[in-house]
Amino acid sequence: MANNSLATKAAMQPHLFHSTPKPDVLGTRMPGIYGGLRRSYGSIAVKSTTRRRKQRMPKVLNHGDTITRSIELPNPNENAGTDLFRKKDLDYLRKNWRKMTSLNYWIIRDYHVLVSAVNVLEPDMQRLTNKQLQAKTKEFRCRLRDGETLDDIQAEAFAVVREAARRTLGMRHFDVQIIGGAVLHDGAIAEMKTGEGKTLVSTLAAYLNSLTGRGVHVVTVNDYLAQRDAEWMGRIHRFLGISVGLIQSSMGPEERKANYTCDITYSSNSEIGFDYLRDNLGQSKEHLVMRWPKPFNFAIVDEVDSVLIDDGRNPLLISGEAPSDAARFPVAAQVANLLVRDYHYNVELKENAVELTEEGIATAELALDTDDLWDERDPWARFVINALKAKEFYRRDVNYIVKDGQVQIINELTGRVEERRRWADGIHQSVEAKEGVDIHPDTSVVAQITYQSLFKLYPKLSGMTGTAKTEEKEFLKIYQMPVVEVPTNLTNIRKDLPLQVFATASGKWEKVREEVEFMYSLGRPVLVGTTSVEHSEYLSELLREWEIPHNVLNARPKYAAREAQIVAQAGRKGAITISTNMAGRGTDIILGGNHEMLAEEIIEDSLMCFMTKEAPNIDMDGAPLSQLGLAKVKLSPSSLGSLAKTVVTVKHVCQRDGEIWSYREAKSKISASLELSRSKDVNELESLAGGESSTFRLGPMIALAYLAVLKDCKVHCTKEGLEVKRLGGLHVIGTSLHESRRIDNQLRGRAGRQGDPGSTRFMISLQDDMFVKFNFNTEWAVNLISKVTSNENIPIEGDTIKNQLLGLQKSAEQYYFGLRKNLVEFDEVLEVQRKHVYDLRQSLLLDDTGICRQRIYQYMQAVMDEIVLRNVNSHKAPRYWNLRNLLDDFHAITERAFVDTFAGVSEETFAVSLEHFCRMHIQELDTFQIQNLPVPPDMFKGIHAKAFSFKRWLLLTSDGSVMSGKYQDNVNLLRKYFGDFLIASYIEAVRDSGYDNTYAQEVERAIALKALDSFWRDHLLNMNRLNTAVSVRGFGSRNPLEEYKIDGCRFFITMLGAARHQTVTSLLRYWLSPNGSLELAFAN
């Protein structure tokens, strides 16, 4: 997070924030694409805000005024002998021509109008008292109720947030951060470089949109960042009277519900997704935790590229236990160990596919004592294929780790462990069998959704990240979100050194070690990025051999527990940090170190040994950080005295008052005390520290000691930061090209934050995983290197080889984009179906009981329509209809409850009655009867019942279900007769049961929901199988996507019909059986 200050504003780039408007090149104003119209951005339109802002501030700027620097035409009469353009203007034009001709330049220029308005309002906001500033929130809400829009109050709201941030956090939004907030409010992606203060930017758009009262979600990539931002940025919102909620994985339903009702809710992306799925599995209103019926309004997604692109390949799944043969997995793992690659089976690394050869099939069948691996009665093929995939593609310490006897997945792009995630289709069980740990039961999908589908549910969506421009086309195509590059507050002076290419991996790692050693000798901090746990620990061993102190950050719990502390101190003089992609997100690397975290470490080191005798759990609390080679903080006498007094108080509390804390309780006590130091001033803390109770005094005393140490740490870190800048800043080493340039750019972005010096270097080998996995042809590069040198430790640099390898990387990007695009296209089919089912489900849960009952009656009519229509023909006379089968189907659905009622109705009698009925031209709709057929119970009394009956008749005659024919009207009347009979009999049975109406309606809800959930679960399984099956149809020159759409639609219609049928059957079974119960109702 940027430490914003008033002084920094003066140092901003003059060409971006010039305060005096100047004429354009042609001597006239350039309204350009903004003159009150809409500006086109890519394939979509982005709403221009110039007109509305001009109307709000007529005294601030005139239409067409610009804040950016332009070129002035010289006066020809002033210097007749000179060129038309002055040299400095030509130089400026030459340097900025590309930028000025880009659409992004003009978009940013438009946002400067808003920046100017906010700056004009700033002095007025500074003159307000705290109460007057806080009252602005109520004023804004009243103005919105009176008809103003969010755009109307945007400038003033941003000015209020800027002033609130200055008062609560001591941080003032830079002008570029105001632009970032406006981009978020407009529903776009703000690309802001690392260290530009994206977290602070989010407060602007979050506050503005929270004023509507419909809720704002600020989405982060994990629980730690959600908690940090809710506590840190939440201080601004709470100061302004905005409620702030936080969702954590450990929370229960009631706590979640309370937090979702807040104006602004911070959460990780996975928690929101799983809460949405769980709400759509709930059986009553009380089980819902989100804001129904409209749970989504506006979301700000931090690290939006990670959430929507990197995690886009992994759908969120809620699974239930499925029948499985767990004993088969270990046997299949043993068979896989017997089989030899390229003889018994072939591997396609790019597709993660395995194919058994004839020899492999024969060997596997012999080992398993079976005649056919694909025998449906004894299926072994799936288990053997999965065991081979676990053997070849799923590598320990690369794709997963084993912790406490469990296989835990590592996200390959973030480097973090995802404890609650499991591979589907038996892969996870196969990996467990390979590792020899307990095998958990196989699962079946109960609910699923992709992040693409989840975030498309928000009417308004925005995001922020440091790397999105390379994926702009994907954001536009899938989410209709443009990417706006927000300029940096200070010029980026980072040096990106040339790519170095090695023929072998061993040569690369040796060169990495040499460069780390050289930088360490200079005192420069170094961050080494690796692609896996395995590689990070290999390099760590190399550095240990050469006695170079360093810290490691990867997915292993002992390191991940101290992620924030490791990254925060990676900018200290002499600090060496080896990290997977975990170091790319969330916490800034500040040159000289983070003084707040450093002070916290000193407090913990000084007090923990006295507060607890319990040793830390390394997996839970993290391994101690290496402090070797780092300068110690010199504490002032006042800080040492405050620490000593605090230690004495701790001893007193532990010995005399008998307080005993566990390690985690002691850490929590210190954390609470540090939070106290942020919420109270020194005078209040000193007053509290003078209390009589030692236990009560302890918290304020720790807070005072922290504040004293914090001053010393700030001085130390500032001084060390200046020294690190003089040495050249942070040096970042990338040890492999990732599958996306965006991930590489994230690593580069760790250096050179906020105008700091820094440098980056990527060192790769032709044996790296990306080149092997995609089977890229790198023989030309090997030949080139061998011609230059025979020493594997000597790298090759040059534009030719660099461009060739980056071209291979772009090919990998295109491949994964194709996978995500394919996933989206297939998921769009399921997305429509999911929305229909979930809307229906929420209607059953939340709608008025009368509406729910009307839906049940519609189900009954629909079921009877299906029975009638498959047994009649509108072109033929009734004697040719299959009336016996019609009656049998009717008795089947009613559990033969009306067998006696229809006992005297034979097929011949039925046909004669219908033909007689057909000859009658006039019928009373409410009282019509079919001769010799039972009369339905007279349950349609009263105006509402008659209106319902008439409306049902209108629907029957207009739904197009019956083909046009001579007997079309008679078929519709027969549909109405059986519909009336079934509905009226049901109403009569419910009335005669003696239960009140409320109980009957709750039974209807429960049965309808259970039937829908059961068939939806089966439908998801069928759709997943269909997704796999249609890929084979591509070999027959058929479009797999079109095949998926056609069959998926057919499956869905069948599923809805089956759910209706099950609902009606279960309800009739419940109310018409002598001993009705829910268990009996769902009995097969």
Side-chain angles (χ1 to χ4, degrees):
M1 172 58 58
N3 185 13
N4 300 355
S5 65
L6 293 171
T8 313
K9 182 183 176 185
M12 302 173 94
Q13 300 179 57
H15 66 281
L16 290 179
F17 299 96
H18 203 289
S19 60
T20 305
K22 296 186 179 182
D24 290 305
V25 176
L26 300 179
T28 58
R29 298 297 178 191
M30 293 178 60
I33 55 178
Y34 300 108
L37 303 175
R38 291 174 64 86
R39 61 174 182 258
S40 174
Y41 191 81
S43 61
I44 68 171
V46 181
K47 188 176 180 182
S48 174
T49 56
T50 302
R51 174 177 291 176
R52 64 171 185 260
R53 290 169 185 159
K54 179 172 72 72
Q55 293 171 347
R56 289 200 300 272
M57 46 185 190
K59 296 181 180 180
V60 179
L61 290 173
N62 294 321
H63 178 63
D65 282 356
T66 176
I67 306 171
T68 56
R69 175 179 173 182
S70 300
I71 299 173
E72 296 183 5
L73 281 173
N75 186 342
N77 298 323
E78 185 177 337
N79 296 298
T82 61
D83 294 333
L84 182 63
F85 292 103
R86 291 190 295 268
K87 185 176 184 301
K88 64 177 183 179
D89 289 330
L90 287 173
D91 291 340
Y92 177 80
L93 181 61
R94 190 180 298 113
K95 292 178 182 178
N96 293 275
W97 179 252
R98 179 174 295 180
K99 179 169 62 177
M100 292 175 63
T101 55
S102 72
L103 183 59
N104 193 86
Y105 171 82
W106 298 101
I107 293 173
I108 295 299
R109 179 178 176 176
D110 186 37
Y111 280 123
H112 282 307
V113 181
L114 173 66
V115 173
S116 180
V118 175
N119 289 338
V120 168
L121 291 169
E122 186 172 15
D124 296 334
M125 297 302 164
Q126 291 175 347
R127 285 191 290 269
L128 298 178
T129 65
N130 284 351
K131 287 186 177 180
Q132 290 173 327
L133 189 64
Q134 291 164 349
K136 282 289 183 180
T137 298
K138 186 176 180 180
E139 175 192 326
F140 291 147
R141 284 176 167 163
C142 291
R143 288 165 61 181
L144 290 174
R145 284 195 294 269
D146 292 340
E148 290 192 52
T149 66
L150 292 178
D151 294 332
D152 293 331
I153 64 173
Q154 182 178 7
E156 195 170 350
F158 279 18
V160 166
V161 176
R162 173 189 265 182
E163 181 59 21
R166 191 182 66 82
R167 297 186 188 187
T168 56
L169 302 179
M171 305 171 75
R172 174 187 174 276
H173 293 80
F174 294 138
D175 285 2
V176 290
Q177 291 175 315
I178 297 295
I179 293 174
V183 171
L184 295 179
H185 171 63
D186 286 343
I189 294 174
E191 181 180 273
M192 302 181 69
K193 302 305 179 186
T194 301
E196 291 297 305
K198 293 186 288 292
T199 308
L200 187 62
V201 166
S202 68
T203 59
L204 296 164
Y207 172 78
L208 177 61
N209 285 270
S210 71
L211 297 172
T212 63
R214 294 193 290 268
V216 173
H217 293 166
V218 182
V219 184
T220 63
V221 293
N222 57 44
D223 278 359
Y224 163 74
L225 293 177
Q227 182 177 7
R228 184 202 69 176
D229 294 351
E231 294 172 354
W232 189 15
M233 297 296 110
R235 291 161 64 187
I236 299 174
H237 299 306
R238 284 187 283 267
F239 173 81
L240 293 172
I242 300 294
S243 58
V244 178
L246 171 66
I247 304 297
Q248 297 279 272
S249 57
S250 58
M251 289 181 176
E254 291 302 319
E255 201 171 359
R256 288 173 183 268
K257 182 182 293 187
N259 283 294
Y260 274 119
T261 58
C262 293
D263 296 317
I264 300 174
T265 303
Y266 287 82
S267 174
S268 66
N269 52 323
S270 60
E271 289 303 316
I272 288 179
F274 283 123
D275 281 337
Y276 175 70
L277 292 177
R278 279 190 290 262
D279 274 4
N280 282 289
L281 293 174
Q283 298 300 311
S284 69
K285 295 180 184 179
E286 290 71 25
H287 293 158
L288 306 182
V289 300
M290 303 186 84
R291 285 182 172 221
W292 293 97
K294 294 183 178 180
F296 303 113
N297 173 46
F298 173 53
I300 301 172
V301 184
D302 192 12
E303 309 299 356
V304 64
D305 55 328
S306 176
V307 174
L308 299 185
I309 292 182
D310 296 341
D311 291 338
R313 286 183 270 167
N314 304 315
L316 292 170
L317 303 174
I318 292 182
S319 302
E321 190 169 320
S324 65
D325 191 352
R328 290 179 183 260
F329 290 104
V331 176
Q334 294 176 8
V335 172
N337 289 332
L338 294 174
L339 303 181
V340 179
R341 180 173 174 174
D342 296 331
Y343 178 72
H344 292 118
Y345 61 94
N346 296 317
V347 171
E348 178 56 58
L349 290 174
K350 183 178 177 181
E351 305 288 346
N352 271 22
V354 172
E355 182 181 4
L356 286 167
T357 63
E358 292 296 331
E359 293 81 3
I361 294 173
T363 303
E365 289 176 344
L366 181 63
L368 295 169
D369 192 21
T370 181
D371 295 330
D372 184 4
L373 290 177
W374 285 268
D375 187 350
E376 293 183 1
R377 295 167 298 180
D378 188 26
W380 276 102
R382 180 172 74 94
F383 296 94
V384 174
I385 295 294
N386 282 345
L388 290 172
K389 288 182 177 181
K391 173 184 174 182
E392 294 293 340
F393 306 135
Y394 297 86
R395 295 156 51 195
R396 185 168 180 167
D397 295 336
V398 176
N399 305 101
Y400 65 91
I401 62 171
V402 177
K403 175 189 173 186
D404 299 331
Q406 292 186 339
V407 171
Q408 296 184 349
I409 298 174
I410 298 174
N411 186 311
E412 296 178 23
L413 294 168
T414 66
R416 292 186 172 92
V417 170
E418 300 182 342
E419 296 183 6
R420 295 191 297 169
R421 182 180 154 203
R422 289 177 65 83
W423 289 303
D425 301 324
I427 293 293
H428 209 95
Q429 288 77 14
S430 298
V431 174
E432 288 171 333
K434 182 182 80 169
E435 293 295 338
V437 300
D438 291 340
I439 298 175
H440 292 74
D442 204 353
T443 58
S444 62
V445 177
V446 176
Q448 74 177 54
I449 192 170
T450 61
Y451 283 117
Q452 288 98 332
S453 295
L454 175 67
F455 284 99
K456 280 197 244 177
L457 295 173
Y458 285 92
K460 184 176 175 182
L461 179 65
S462 65
M464 50 190 182
T465 181
T467 49
K469 203 65 178 176
T470 57
E471 316 294 339
E472 182 175 19
K473 290 182 179 179
E474 186 168 350
F475 282 119
L476 282 169
K477 181 176 179 60
I478 297 176
Y479 303 101
Q480 291 74 55
M481 296 169 66
V483 177
V484 179
E485 291 181 275
V486 179
T488 56
N489 186 43
L490 298 174
T491 305
N492 188 342
I493 59 173
R494 184 188 73 224
K495 295 179 180 178
D496 294 325
L497 301 174
L499 178 73
Q500 292 185 338
V501 183
F502 298 81
T504 64
S506 59
K508 176 188 71 174
W509 290 116
E510 182 59 28
K511 188 64 176 179
V512 170
R513 182 200 61 75
E514 290 178 6
E515 183 142 341
V516 169
E517 184 180 23
F518 174 70
M519 292 295 173
Y520 178 69
S521 67
L522 296 178
R524 286 186 65 181
V526 179
L527 172 66
V528 185
T530 62
T531 56
S532 68
V533 174
E534 182 181 43
H535 291 158
S536 66
E537 295 184 343
Y538 175 79
L539 180 58
S540 177
E541 285 294 330
L542 281 179
L543 296 186
R544 266 198 291 267
E545 290 176 7
W546 287 79
E547 299 181 349
I548 300 175
H550 61 277
N551 283 304
V552 177
L553 174 59
N554 59 36
R556 292 202 186 280
K558 63 180 180 180
Y559 302 129
R562 289 186 176 269
E563 176 184 349
Q565 292 92 324
I566 293 173
V567 176
Q569 305 308 330
R572 295 190 64 186
K573 183 181 178 182
I576 308 296
T577 308
I578 303 170
S579 174
T580 57
N581 293 338
M582 296 174 72
R585 302 280 173 160
T587 305
D588 283 345
I589 298 179
I590 302 173
L591 299 186
N594 185 311
H595 63 280
E596 292 181 349
M597 288 192 175
L598 188 58
E600 185 176 341
E601 287 179 23
I602 292 174
I603 292 295
E604 288 185 357
D605 291 343
S606 303
L607 301 181
M608 286 295 289
C609 58
F610 300 105
M611 296 179 71
T612 181
K613 301 300 180 186
E614 183 178 300
N617 182 327
I618 290 181
D619 282 348
M620 295 291 293
D621 305 306
L625 303 184
S626 170
Q627 301 291 339
L628 296 177
L630 303 182
K632 291 187 177 180
V633 179
K634 184 178 180 181
L635 298 180
S636 64
S638 61
S639 298
L640 291 171
S642 183
L643 270 176
K645 288 167 62 177
T646 307
V647 169
V648 170
T649 304
V650 169
K651 289 181 178 179
H652 181 80
V653 170
C654 294
Q655 294 174 6
R656 180 173 297 183
D657 297 347
E659 290 283 357
I660 300 175
W661 292 295
S662 66
Y663 183 86
R664 298 189 69 79
E665 288 172 344
K667 287 215 40 154
S668 297
K669 181 73 175 176
I670 291 176
S671 297
S673 302
L674 300 188
E675 187 60 34
L676 194 66
S677 70
R678 300 183 182 102
S679 59
K680 298 187 180 297
D681 58 33
V682 175
N683 293 332
E684 289 179 295
L685 291 174
E686 288 177 345
S687 176
L688 292 172
E692 296 182 1
S693 170
S694 299
T695 304
F696 183 76
R697 293 201 316 265
L698 182 57
M701 291 192 71
I702 294 175
L704 287 170
Y706 170 75
L707 291 175
V709 172
L710 184 63
K711 293 179 182 178
D712 296 332
C713 290
K714 188 171 184 179
V715 172
H716 175 88
C717 290
T718 302
K719 181 180 178 182
E720 192 171 286
L722 292 173
E723 189 172 355
V724 171
K725 289 180 182 180
R726 181 180 58 80
L727 293 171
L730 176 69
H731 183 61
V732 172
I733 302 175
T735 58
S736 176
L737 291 180
H738 292 82
E739 294 162 356
S740 169
R741 289 167 293 166
R742 182 172 43 82
I743 308 298
D744 295 339
N745 291 337
Q746 289 170 12
L747 184 59
R748 288 190 181 98
R750 305 308 287 167
R753 63 181 292 277
Q754 287 193 350
D756 288 341
S759 58
T760 67
R761 167 90 75 185
F762 269 72
M763 302 180 183
I764 66 173
S765 82
L766 301 179
Q767 295 177 343
D768 287 345
D769 290 345
M770 187 182 76
F771 301 121
V772 175
K773 180 175 182 178
F774 287 88
N775 199 25
F776 288 142
N777 181 17
T778 56
E779 185 177 351
W780 59 270
V782 174
N783 294 334
L784 178 62
I785 293 174
S786 63
K787 290 179 182 179
V788 177
T789 178
S790 59
N791 189 342
E792 65 178 15
N793 295 342
I794 297 179
I796 294 295
E797 297 179 7
D799 291 339
T800 302
I801 193 168
K802 170 188 171 183
N803 293 335
Q804 289 283 351
L805 294 176
L806 291 180
L808 297 180
Q809 187 182 38
K810 289 180 183 179
S811 298
E813 284 182 353
Q814 289 299 317
Y815 171 74
Y816 282 114
F817 172 68
L819 288 183
R820 292 190 297 270
K821 180 173 175 288
N822 187 66
L823 177 65
V824 169
E825 290 173 344
F826 275 78
D827 190 61
E828 282 175 349
V829 178
L830 201 56
E831 182 181 336
V832 174
Q833 298 175 357
R834 184 190 303 108
K835 186 177 187 306
H836 181 88
V837 170
Y838 284 177
D839 286 348
L840 175 59
R841 210 178 180 286
Q842 293 304 321
S843 175
L844 290 170
L845 271 180
L846 303 176
D847 280 351
D848 180 78
T849 51
I851 297 176
C852 182
R853 173 155 287 181
Q854 293 296 325
R855 190 179 297 279
I856 296 298
Y857 296 160
Q858 291 172 7
Y859 283 5
M860 292 180 176
Q861 180 66 63
V863 169
M864 287 312 308
D865 286 348
E866 291 173 6
I867 293 175
V868 171
L869 292 176
R870 68 170 170 255
N871 290 292
V872 302
N873 188 329
S874 60
H875 295 287
K876 296 181 179 180
R879 62 179 175 275
Y880 299 109
W881 294 354
N882 195 347
L883 299 176
R884 181 72 269 160
N885 193 58
L886 190 155
L887 287 174
D888 290 342
D889 289 346
F890 175 73
H891 291 318
I893 197 171
T894 57
E895 297 286 313
R896 307 189 68 79
F898 301 107
V899 170
D900 294 340
T901 307
F902 285 83
V905 180
S906 64
E907 187 172 5
E908 294 76 13
T909 304
F910 199 171
V912 170
S913 299
L914 286 174
E915 291 188 358
H916 172 75
F917 183 72
C918 293
R919 290 190 291 268
M920 300 175 64
H921 298 292
I922 299 176
Q923 290 287 336
E924 283 290 337
L925 190 61
D926 294 336
T927 59
F928 83 92
Q929 298 180 21
I930 299 178
Q931 186 178 7
N932 299 323
L933 290 185
V935 179
D938 187 14
M939 302 306 297
F940 299 107
K941 298 178 180 179
I943 186 64
H944 294 295
K946 290 182 181 294
F948 169 70
S949 179
F950 181 69
K951 182 179 179 181
R952 198 154 43 83
W953 168 250
L954 291 178
L955 290 174
L956 290 177
T957 56
S958 62
D959 62 5
S961 299
V962 182
M963 295 176 60
S964 179
K966 180 179 179 180
Y967 300 96
Q968 178 181 3
D969 291 341
N970 306 103
V971 172
N972 286 331
L973 285 169
L974 185 62
R975 291 166 63 193
K976 186 174 191 306
Y977 168 79
F978 277 103
D980 284 350
F981 196 99
L982 188 62
I983 294 171
S985 300
Y986 174 78
I987 295 173
E988 185 178 47
V990 172
R991 185 196 63 185
D992 294 344
S993 68
Y995 290 105
D996 60 29
N997 200 42
T998 302
Y999 174 78
Q1001 289 167 345
E1002 288 305 315
V1003 170
E1004 289 168 355
R1005 287 184 196 273
I1007 289 179
L1009 287 171
K1010 192 169 182 66
L1012 183 62
D1013 289 346
S1014 175
F1015 282 96
W1016 175 245
R1017 183 167 58 247
D1018 293 342
H1019 178 70
L1020 289 177
L1021 180 61
N1022 290 334
M1023 292 296 285
N1024 287 337
R1025 289 173 176 168
L1026 177 63
N1027 196 344
T1028 304
V1030 294
S1031 60
V1032 180
R1033 302 183 192 178
F1035 296 109
S1037 300
R1038 295 157 74 180
N1039 188 326
L1041 179 60
E1042 293 301 319
E1043 294 289 312
Y1044 183 76
K1045 288 179 179 178
I1046 294 170
D1047 286 355
C1049 181
R1050 180 169 54 83
F1051 286 0
F1052 186 64
I1053 293 172
T1054 303
M1055 182 274 294
L1056 291 178
R1060 288 194 298 265
H1061 191 281
Q1062 179 67 44
T1063 300
V1064 172
T1065 304
S1066 299
L1067 283 171
L1068 293 173
R1069 185 183 297 132
Y1070 183 88
W1071 293 111
L1072 297 178
S1073 62
N1075 299 308
S1077 67
L1078 288 178
E1079 290 77 12
L1080 179 61
F1082 287 104
N1084 292 326

